[in-house]
Amino acid sequence: SGMDQQGVDNVGNLSKSLVLEGLRRERFPRLTFDFDGSVQSTKGHAEGTAVGFNKAKRGARSYYPLFCTVAQTAQFFDVHHRPGNVHDSNGAVEFMMDCFTCAKSQLAGTILESRMDSAFFNQDILSMLSDNKIMFTASVPFERFTQLKELVEQRKRWHKIDGQWSYFEADWKPKSWQESFRFIFTRKRSRKQRKGPLQLKLFEPVDFNYDYKVIVTNKTESTKSVV
């Protein structure tokens, strides 16, 4: 009900103000917000739940709240409450912007940045962060863009970061996007020896020696520090 929601909002605002108070005291030059979705199962038909993707209990009704946490202090900053049948990025643009606007108003002079998994890889989110001068890194989902696999497989020259990691970069964008971003293609030498036949994956490049990952960023620092 409205009253319940008001109570939840009040508790959330109090919690957020206490975290901000602590962050002001610490005077971090840089603050990193991590965003992540989390499935929470419920019994029965609790208000606002829905049946959706639930690894633990298939078909169970659940909430799928979106959390914002502060990487430097491991503190919980805010939550966006949603039913369990939505995608990770659902309602994310507004929620993320609210978090950053709140932090900006209280922490003048602090560089704000965000780390996100591949569920948040979409044009609206990246453009919103970029337009508001918020630094970000996000994992890129191979399965949504076959071109990424081709770029990796066709690549001859990789630049070395250290004994494990190497990379190449490209300014790239999915065909339907309006603007391009800095994409960093990485490969990490596998520690474990793989035995048996190689399981070919439709979208991801696979071999015995390396694990591949692509990240997108608007940071301008060295690849090594971004990775």
Side-chain angles (χ1 to χ4, degrees):
S1 70
M3 192 57 218
D4 291 342
Q5 189 56 50
Q6 188 59 53
V8 169
D9 290 344
N10 290 344
V11 172
N13 289 334
L14 175 62
S15 168
K16 201 165 17 176
S17 67
L18 292 171
V19 171
L20 284 165
E21 208 175 289
L23 293 174
R24 271 200 302 273
R25 281 198 304 273
E26 293 294 335
R27 296 188 177 175
F28 289 110
R30 176 185 297 266
L31 261 192
T32 311
F33 281 174
D34 288 335
F35 292 94
D36 198 13
S38 171
V39 173
Q40 294 182 338
S41 298
T42 58
K43 290 196 172 114
H45 284 61
E47 184 185 340
T49 62
V51 174
F53 176 68
N54 189 330
K55 277 184 190 166
K57 297 180 182 170
R58 226 166 265 278
R61 296 186 74 80
S62 56
Y63 295 110
Y64 198 5
L66 175 56
F67 292 103
C68 174
T69 50
V70 183
Q72 283 78 1
T73 60
Q75 283 173 300
F76 168 82
F77 188 75
D78 204 355
V79 63
H80 176 46
H81 200 49
R82 308 171 301 175
N85 59 345
V86 298
H87 186 266
D88 257 5
S89 64
N90 186 284
V93 175
E94 298 80 6
F95 172 65
M96 293 165 85
M97 201 57 241
D98 286 348
C99 290
F100 285 118
T101 302
C102 180
K104 262 185 180 175
S105 68
Q106 301 294 316
L107 304 164
T110 301
I111 296 168
L112 296 175
E113 63 179 15
S114 179
R115 292 187 307 203
M116 300 163 289
D117 68 23
S118 60
F120 296 88
F121 180 78
N122 75 49
Q123 184 173 213
D124 291 342
I125 290 176
L126 301 193
S127 294
M128 177 272 290
L129 294 171
S130 208
D131 292 346
N132 287 280
K133 299 189 168 42
I134 295 159
M135 300 293 105
F136 66 79
T137 53
S139 297
V140 181
F142 267 112
E143 64 275 10
R144 280 172 49 200
F145 306 101
T146 49
Q147 285 168 283
L148 293 176
K149 182 181 178 185
E150 289 163 15
L151 285 168
V152 166
E153 289 177 340
Q154 289 162 10
R155 185 71 186 184
K156 299 283 189 286
R157 184 161 176 247
W158 291 74
H159 305 286
K160 188 175 172 182
I161 293 179
D162 55 31
Q164 267 197 308
W165 291 87
S166 47
Y167 76 95
F168 71 92
E169 290 196 30
D171 261 348
W172 188 76
K173 72 176 184 67
K175 282 197 177 81
S176 59
W177 288 26
Q178 270 76 55
E179 63 180 310
S180 58
F181 291 94
R182 178 189 182 189
F183 281 74
I184 301 173
F185 297 75
T186 69
R187 66 180 188 185
K188 183 185 180 187
R189 197 175 285 281
S190 292
R191 292 193 167 191
K192 55 186 185 294
Q193 186 145 19
R194 292 180 178 147
K195 301 230 165 67
L198 204 56
Q199 293 295 312
L200 289 179
K201 293 186 182 173
L202 200 54
F203 302 108
E204 292 184 38
V206 181
D207 65 36
F208 277 112
N209 303 311
Y210 296 101
D211 294 313
Y212 296 93
K213 183 170 181 170
V214 183
I215 49 181
V216 60
T217 186
N218 61 346
K219 293 186 172 191
T220 54
E221 59 221 62
S222 75
T223 308
K224 183 174 183 176
S225 78
V226 172
V227 170

